[in-house]
Amino acid sequence: MDAMNRKRFGGAVAALIGLLCDSAASGTEPAWVTAPRAPADAPNIVVVLLDDVGFGTSGTFGGPVVMPALDRLAAQGLRYNRFHTTALCSPTRAVLLSGRNHHQVAFGTVTEIANSYPGYNTFWPKSVVSLPEMLRRNGYSTAAFGKWHNTPLWEISPVGPFDRWPTGLGFDYFYGFMGGESSLWEPAMYRNTTAVEPAPGPGYHQTTDIADDAIHWVKTRDALAPAQPYFLYFAPGATHAPHHVPAEWIKRYRGNFDGGWDRLRDDIFARQKKLGVIPADAALNPRPAKLPAWNSLSADRKRLYARQMEVYAAFLAHTDYEVGRLLDAIRNGPRGENTLVFYIVGDNGPSAEGGTDGSYQNTAKFAGIPNELTDQLRHIEALGGPELDNHMATAWAYALSTPFQGVKSDAAHFGGTRNPLVVSWPKRIGDAGGLRDRFTHVNDIAPTIYELLGIRVPAVVDGVRQVSIEGVSFAASFGQGAQPAQPRTQYFETMGNRAIYRDGWLAGATHNWVWGDFAPFGTDFGSARWELYHVDEDFSQAHDLAAQYPDKLRELQQLFDREAKRNHVYPFSNPTMGGFAGTDARPSVANNRKEFVYPGDFPRMPVPAAPKLMGSHRISARLEVPAAGASGVVIADGGRYGGFALYLENGHLVYEHNFFGMERTVIRSEAVLPKGRIEVAFDLERTDAQQWGGGIGRLFVDGRPAGEGRLLRVGVPSPIDTFDIGADRGSPVSTRYAAPARFQGVVEEVRIALQ
């Protein structure tokens, strides 16, 4: 530095020191930069969202399942009997957490069957700022627990991207699972964006686990920042299939459903009228002719079906118990009375995905593999346990939507879209036990919260112009007495089933019976017959007025068309246009690759992100077998409900193929493997190109044949499980080892070559 620059530098330093000294002397020290502060006296906000529960399921709304936590909230808060969801999992969650319509958030369908159209690609756009993100920017701490079903499948892997995971959409913390369903006994869990193993074992259950974690989070917040409000989103996987529940809870419902679904519907309907959750003049829709009368069934079918319903009821009761534990911890905290709770009893109607007979391996059912009655009866006492991926018969689902028509995915009828809502806020809601019957929708939750807190969503967020809020605040209903009806328009659509509501009238069209055994998915969406209901006077959609008021029907059809165009609903979509199509063109980290190389310490990965190994392929691995010999998994793809594993058993190389948990093929080397560094391989030659067609499997050790066998059928790995190297970290593919069955030697590398 020359003399002139040194002089300038010295002068600048002196001026800065003088300025600091003057500021300190005058007491004008600048204020610290702090995080945003929430509005004064802002409440904690808790949203509980259950899965696959019908309007007539909970005892609070006349159903057969005792739910004390929900009862307590209803007694101190408000019940809403005209609250609506979208009829499907991912869409309802996107609407709840945004205040927009589901196609506007790109969730016209669930993540598993997304396609590339704007309303269906499940790619949450930057033009839709989320509710948790807005709350976080306004001083709230935010956390999500349980099911997260709003990240594109191809982005769920160790390499992300992570901006559409919970922590990328406004949550400070997340603990749960990524996808539509999960084993409750052996789940693949994540903390924030990192895969974690919750050490399943005797006494473990996922719902209990997430409740424990949420309680710990609440207590930590209360200890460190009792004045800061929080937003807690608690979304257990229950009661989505598989119906997994501790055996002691099932015992509580033994014999409760021996009378069958027809009697159950009548009993629910009578209790609903007695409780006042449906009007006195409401009609009970008849059981569809496609569903059998209970009295027409054989003794074996009655025994099986009653057991299925016992398990489901126990599953829901256990879930409410865990919700109650969480709510008790919150109420006992420093802001307990100033906590606003929304308890949403289902993200859609009850699920009929088990089909006419229900299922003991529901993944197989989805794939079109029959769950024969004799097989189900052999497993009847194991229902609810980890060995089975079980679901109940369709007619139970229909009964649990009493008094309505329809079930999950039927967006044309309230059986798919109307779910109970209970709201509690001891500090502000005075009409304890009140009933509210105004039309409300899941997109109303966010604007209600915004109004209560005085938050306005900016027109532009992070430089991106925002889609306007579609929901309508119902904060005014928290006051005393009934509120006058407001003009309201709301469309519904899932898989071509659609409806439009406007000011007390609803018109809808059912494309087909979406789940069950009755019809294949079709693309002739225009052939659906439209129905018309005056739902202000006909609570249960029991009287179709389409023939009587054709002009009104035409008016609503045209309104649906306008709303559909405005919200990116067209073209309609169904499972055959997305992930169930047989050819999957969606993005994936495995796309356009024939060769894959995985290190021995490769982290757990979801099955959908793994290479598709249905065709001919070769798997090879470099191992180091210790002098004492080795056992353990080299590679596993899938779990109990389908997949394969290549492993060592007492020194022998074994390949095992698990066909949907229903049949297994084991190929085992005759000789014990040599010690030291070796290379093992497995080749599958598909000889039958038909779906599930079989082939020849061959084992190799250091290039020499070591075993051979025929696979009669080749299935897909269970999508709710994991792809693993050096262990089987999810549920075990094989019954011959216990997970995680870590390899006792060293897995240096695994290679996969598709042929």
Side-chain angles (χ1 to χ4, degrees):
M1 183 183 295
D2 59 28
M4 183 175 292
N5 283 333
R6 280 198 301 271
K7 184 175 181 180
R8 290 175 177 167
F9 179 74
V13 170
L16 178 59
I17 292 172
L19 178 61
L20 293 175
C21 290
D22 289 345
S23 296
S26 63
T28 58
E29 181 179 352
W32 287 100
V33 176
T34 60
R37 291 184 180 274
D41 203 31
N44 296 330
I45 299 169
V46 177
V47 174
V48 177
L49 178 66
L50 302 189
D51 201 325
D52 288 2
V53 186
F55 182 87
T57 310
S58 71
T60 317
F61 282 74
V65 182
V66 179
M67 299 179 67
L70 184 65
D71 286 341
R72 288 194 297 270
L73 281 184
Q76 65 184 210
L78 301 170
R79 296 163 298 161
Y80 291 77
N81 68 345
R82 295 181 191 255
F83 179 80
H84 300 83
T85 57
T86 69
L88 205 55
C89 305
S90 299
T92 289
R93 293 156 198 271
V95 172
L96 169 66
L97 296 174
S98 70
R100 280 75 164 188
N101 291 326
H102 50 306
H103 296 83
Q104 292 176 313
V105 200
F107 279 92
T109 189
V110 293
T111 59
E112 291 81 1
I113 52 177
N115 61 46
S116 61
Y117 287 99
Y120 300 90
N121 62 28
T122 70
F123 195 85
W124 192 302
K126 299 297 183 183
S127 58
V128 177
V129 65
S130 72
L131 170 63
E133 180 61 31
M134 284 302 302
L135 292 177
R136 183 164 65 175
R137 294 182 183 212
N138 283 273
Y140 271 72
S141 179
T142 59
F145 300 88
K147 174 174 174 175
W148 183 261
H149 201 188
N150 292 104
T151 299
L153 286 186
W154 55 92
E155 295 187 352
I156 305 175
S157 84
V159 297
F162 300 109
D163 52 344
R164 277 165 293 280
W165 287 53
T167 51
L169 286 169
F171 287 107
D172 299 321
Y173 178 79
F174 168 68
Y175 181 62
F177 65 97
M178 304 287 292
E181 64 183 78
S182 168
S183 167
L184 282 295
W185 300 112
E186 299 159 311
M189 301 290 281
Y190 289 85
R191 181 164 279 110
N192 299 324
T193 60
T194 302
V196 295
E197 312 307 327
Y204 178 88
H205 192 275
Q206 184 192 62
T207 311
T208 304
D209 182 25
I210 61 171
D212 286 344
D213 204 72
I215 291 169
H216 174 72
W217 185 86
V218 166
K219 289 184 175 180
T220 301
R221 296 293 318 163
D222 287 346
L224 294 176
Q228 183 187 22
Y230 55 74
F231 173 63
L232 193 157
Y233 172 52
F234 190 78
T239 55
H240 197 291
H243 297 167
H244 285 167
V245 60
E248 60 268 24
W249 284 83
I250 301 174
K251 291 177 183 176
R252 303 182 185 191
Y253 285 89
R254 278 285 192 185
N256 284 24
F257 303 101
D258 291 352
W261 43 64
D262 293 321
R263 181 188 300 176
L264 179 62
R265 296 183 75 239
D266 290 338
D267 291 346
I268 293 171
F269 188 61
R271 285 194 297 266
Q272 287 173 332
K273 289 200 171 183
K274 184 177 181 179
L275 290 169
V277 295
I278 67 174
D281 61 354
L284 176 62
N285 281 280
R287 170 179 41 79
K290 67 184 75 173
L291 297 177
W294 182 261
N295 290 337
S296 71
L297 302 174
S298 68
D300 277 345
R301 289 187 185 276
K302 289 180 177 179
R303 182 165 63 94
L304 173 64
Y305 298 159
R307 172 68 171 177
Q308 293 170 351
M309 187 58 206
E310 292 167 4
V311 172
Y312 177 82
F315 193 18
L316 181 57
H318 174 260
T319 304
D320 181 76
Y321 170 77
E322 297 298 347
V323 171
R325 285 201 309 120
L326 170 60
L327 295 180
D328 286 347
I330 291 169
R331 292 295 191 216
N332 292 330
R335 304 167 58 84
E337 292 297 295
N338 194 21
T339 297
L340 169 60
V341 178
F342 299 88
Y343 195 151
I344 306 172
V345 191
D347 54 358
N348 43 243
S351 170
E353 294 162 15
T356 302
D357 288 333
S359 61
Y360 76 107
Q361 296 294 1
N362 205 54
T363 302
K365 188 82 172 180
F366 264 87
I369 309 297
N371 281 212
E372 300 295 348
L373 180 69
T374 53
D375 292 332
Q376 293 201 64
L377 287 167
R378 284 192 300 106
H379 293 90
I380 190 170
E381 291 304 318
L383 292 176
E387 296 85 5
L388 304 181
D389 175 17
N390 52 293
H391 204 305
M392 63 186 175
T394 296
W396 287 124
Y398 201 88
L400 295 178
S401 68
T402 299
F404 304 119
Q405 305 178 58
V407 290
K408 176 181 179 179
S409 301
D410 184 353
H413 297 104
F414 290 152
T417 60
R418 185 167 288 180
N419 290 87
L421 167 67
V422 169
V423 180
S424 171
W425 189 5
K427 188 169 182 177
R428 287 280 300 273
I429 294 177
D431 186 17
L435 181 72
R436 299 292 184 266
D437 63 357
R438 63 178 281 180
F439 180 98
T440 46
H441 189 270
V442 66
N443 63 15
D444 298 339
I445 299 287
T448 299
I449 292 171
Y450 292 149
E451 179 182 342
L452 292 168
L453 300 180
I455 294 173
R456 298 191 64 179
V457 177
V460 176
V461 175
D462 296 337
V464 180
R465 181 159 294 281
Q466 296 295 292
V467 174
S468 63
I469 295 288
E470 291 289 331
V472 178
S473 170
F474 57 93
S477 69
F478 293 1
Q480 296 284 344
Q483 298 294 315
Q486 295 179 324
R488 185 66 187 268
T489 298
Q490 180 62 52
Y491 81 90
F492 301 83
E493 192 278 334
T494 58
M495 303 185 191
N497 298 320
R498 64 261 195 201
I500 184 76
Y501 170 88
R502 187 170 201 175
D503 300 340
W505 289 83
L506 186 139
T510 304
H511 170 52
N512 63 16
W513 182 277
V514 179
W515 301 115
D517 313 314
F518 306 113
F521 296 108
T523 56
D524 183 14
F525 296 103
S527 64
R529 187 182 74 83
W530 281 79
E531 302 163 11
L532 177 67
Y533 300 95
H534 192 189
V535 292
D536 267 2
E537 299 178 358
D538 177 15
F539 181 85
S540 58
Q541 284 183 287
H543 307 291
D544 181 7
L545 304 177
Q548 188 173 347
Y549 297 105
D551 291 343
K552 187 67 175 180
L553 176 61
R554 191 175 305 108
E555 171 194 331
L556 290 175
Q557 287 174 313
Q558 292 170 352
L559 177 60
F560 176 85
D561 185 62
R562 293 196 297 273
E563 288 293 290
K565 291 174 180 176
R566 185 176 70 86
N567 285 277
H568 311 298
V569 176
Y570 296 139
F572 291 133
S573 175
N574 66 28
T576 62
M577 303 169 73
F580 295 172
T583 58
D584 192 346
R586 294 175 300 179
S588 169
V589 293
N591 278 2
N592 305 314
R593 297 177 62 188
K594 293 287 189 180
E595 302 282 341
F596 303 83
V597 181
Y598 300 103
D601 60 352
F602 187 75
R604 184 190 84 198
M605 184 168 67
V607 163
K612 305 299 184 287
L613 299 177
M614 287 288 293
S616 298
H617 61 267
R618 180 180 179 86
I619 301 170
S620 59
R622 293 205 311 264
L623 310 177
E624 187 172 326
V625 179
S631 292
V633 171
V634 176
I635 178 175
D637 190 11
R640 286 188 187 274
Y641 316 130
F644 75 85
L646 183 65
Y647 57 96
L648 269 62
E649 182 182 57
N650 299 320
H652 295 267
L653 181 63
V654 180
Y655 173 85
E656 182 169 345
H657 187 84
N658 174 356
F659 184 78
F660 291 106
M662 305 174 88
E663 64 185 42
R664 297 169 185 274
T665 302
V666 176
I667 305 172
R668 189 172 187 266
S669 70
E670 295 185 6
V672 172
L673 271 62
K675 311 305 185 289
R677 296 188 67 189
I678 61 172
E679 181 172 299
V680 300
F682 169 78
D683 279 1
L684 174 64
E685 178 188 357
R686 282 289 298 274
T687 57
D688 183 349
Q690 298 183 67
Q691 187 180 39
W692 320 129
I696 305 296
R698 300 180 177 88
L699 296 173
F700 299 87
V701 177
D702 286 333
R704 295 185 291 275
E708 182 176 310
R710 173 170 288 279
L711 283 70
L712 296 179
R713 295 194 287 182
V714 174
V716 295
S718 166
I720 69 173
D721 230 289
T722 57
F723 174 89
D724 296 296
I725 303 295
D728 190 348
R729 297 179 181 87
S731 70
V733 169
S734 174
T735 58
R736 298 163 69 107
Y737 60 74
R742 299 185 188 282
F743 189 72
Q744 296 171 357
V746 177
V747 178
E748 296 181 356
E749 180 182 271
V750 174
R751 290 178 174 267
I752 296 176
L754 306 182
Q755 299 172 10

